[in-house]
Amino acid sequence: MLVSGLEVWQWMNQAKTEARSSDIPLAEIDWLLQELAGLDRLALRLESFKDLPKVELKLSLSELAQLWQRRLQERVPVQYLTGVAHWRHFSLKVTPAVLIPRPETELLIDLAVEAVKSYGVNPKSHWVDLGTGSGAIAIGLASALTNARVYAVDCSSEALAVARLNAENLGLGARINFYQGLWWEPLAFLKGQVSGMVSNPPYIPSSTVLTLEPEVVRHEPHLALDGGLDGLDCIRHLVETAPDYLEPGGVWLVEMMAGQAEAVADMLQSHGSYGQVQIFSDLAGIDRFALAYRL
């Protein structure tokens, strides 16, 4: 759909006014125009596209305006509007069937890579992403640990369809095996053979879920958010069940919520199957990740 640069510029300025009054970051307008008009950051910052006789939009200007109204009125996250989330160096497809991958979760991959380097964890063995959602963690592991075989599990068939598509689009379809089921259940054949388990499980207390921002409450899958009464149901389950699957020296690595680190570290230490329990913070300084090794 071809429109003039001036028309796009006029829409952008109106959208900025609306964003300010609705307390939505102006950067989201740039995001929309990068994804849907193919404009780069520099052109957007300098507003140099205003003088272009033609800008190619993926949809009509009126459809773009309708999308923007959904962002303003229904609080639909911009990632769902464009169908794209950028995570690490990947461009991932996302739908309301999957949680939008967060920037802080990127650090799980760095922690896994560091464990392989520092502690001699076997990089050629089997790595598991439990609760894969969009497939982000599995894709990150397959990309970073080039000799590993990666297994991605989710209980949602809709989420697995998105994850599979992402893996195929990024050329990693042959390296990642996808299974539908609850946590370890589909992976009985890997008992005692897993070098690393990585998971970003639901960890928000049930009573807190409905108090989250409307973008999350109304549009992201509650199945991927609700961690039970204290938020630790899924993490507790992973602490209990992982020792059957991890090989000696295998990594147990999860993301958690602010304020949960002490409880998770206590669980791991008191279980008796884990050693070298460590807590790592995210870039905001929040204790966000727990790592331990199978004894």
Side-chain angles (χ1 to χ4, degrees):
M1 191 70 63
L2 293 172
V3 297
S4 73
L6 185 60
E7 286 175 290
V8 176
W9 180 78
Q10 287 167 336
W11 176 83
M12 183 182 80
N13 281 328
Q14 184 190 337
K16 282 182 176 176
T17 303
E18 293 166 338
R20 285 188 191 100
S21 61
S22 298
D23 205 24
I24 287 172
L26 297 183
E28 293 195 11
I29 299 163
D30 287 357
W31 177 305
L32 272 178
L33 291 174
Q34 281 174 264
E35 293 299 330
L36 301 176
L39 296 171
D40 62 41
R41 284 181 190 171
L42 187 61
L44 287 162
R45 195 166 78 233
L46 300 177
E47 299 187 357
S48 55
F49 65 90
K50 181 171 65 169
D51 302 323
L52 295 173
K54 295 275 185 288
V55 172
E56 188 164 357
L57 285 175
K58 289 183 182 174
L59 66 187
S60 71
L61 211 49
S62 66
E63 286 170 323
L64 176 61
Q66 282 172 352
L67 268 193
W68 181 242
Q69 287 309 308
R70 290 191 65 208
R71 178 72 190 98
L72 295 170
Q73 291 165 22
E74 300 170 40
R75 308 301 283 200
V76 180
V78 69
Q79 292 92 335
Y80 290 153
L81 292 177
T82 60
V84 176
H86 298 288
W87 192 81
R88 286 181 78 84
H89 51 284
F90 308 113
S91 186
L92 300 174
K93 175 182 168 61
V94 289
T95 74
V98 301
L99 206 63
I100 296 164
R102 298 331 199 239
E104 55 268 26
T105 304
E106 296 180 10
L107 292 172
L108 280 172
I109 309 303
D110 300 324
L111 290 170
V113 169
E114 193 54 41
V116 168
K117 280 186 194 162
S118 305
Y119 294 95
V121 177
N122 182 1
K124 291 186 179 179
S125 185
H126 309 296
W127 282 74
V128 172
D129 170 19
L130 298 180
T132 195
S134 65
I137 291 171
I139 286 163
L141 290 171
S143 174
L145 304 176
T146 51
N147 295 316
R149 188 85 197 150
V150 179
Y151 302 80
V153 177
D154 206 287
C155 61
S156 162
S157 58
E158 291 92 347
L160 281 175
V162 173
R164 268 200 193 92
L165 185 63
N166 280 325
E168 283 160 17
N169 287 346
L170 293 161
L172 293 166
R175 296 264 321 283
I176 304 172
N177 297 313
F178 293 93
Y179 293 89
Q180 186 176 357
L182 282 172
W183 306 115
W184 292 103
E185 281 171 15
L187 302 178
F189 60 94
L190 284 178
K191 282 195 172 178
Q193 301 173 60
V194 175
S195 285
M197 177 214 85
V198 185
S199 183
N200 179 17
Y203 52 64
I204 297 170
S206 303
S207 59
T208 305
V209 171
L210 294 177
T211 68
L212 300 171
E213 55 267 30
E215 285 81 354
V216 177
V217 176
R218 293 189 208 165
H219 301 288
E220 296 203 65
H222 286 207
L223 184 68
L225 298 165
D226 192 333
L229 200 59
D230 61 356
L232 293 169
D233 282 3
C234 300
I235 293 176
R236 205 174 277 114
H237 178 75
L238 293 175
V239 170
E240 289 298 322
T241 53
D244 290 341
Y245 294 84
L246 291 171
E247 64 188 11
V251 173
W252 187 97
L253 174 59
V254 301
E255 180 174 323
M256 61 197 164
M257 184 175 161
Q260 293 177 337
E262 193 178 342
V264 175
D266 286 349
M267 271 184 229
L268 288 161
Q269 273 153 353
S270 62
H271 188 276
S273 301
Y274 302 95
Q276 297 182 64
V277 175
Q278 298 164 70
I279 301 297
F280 296 91
S281 58
D282 62 17
L283 296 176
I286 295 164
D287 285 342
R288 177 72 65 186
F289 312 102
L291 185 149
Y293 295 88
R294 175 78 167 95
L295 293 172

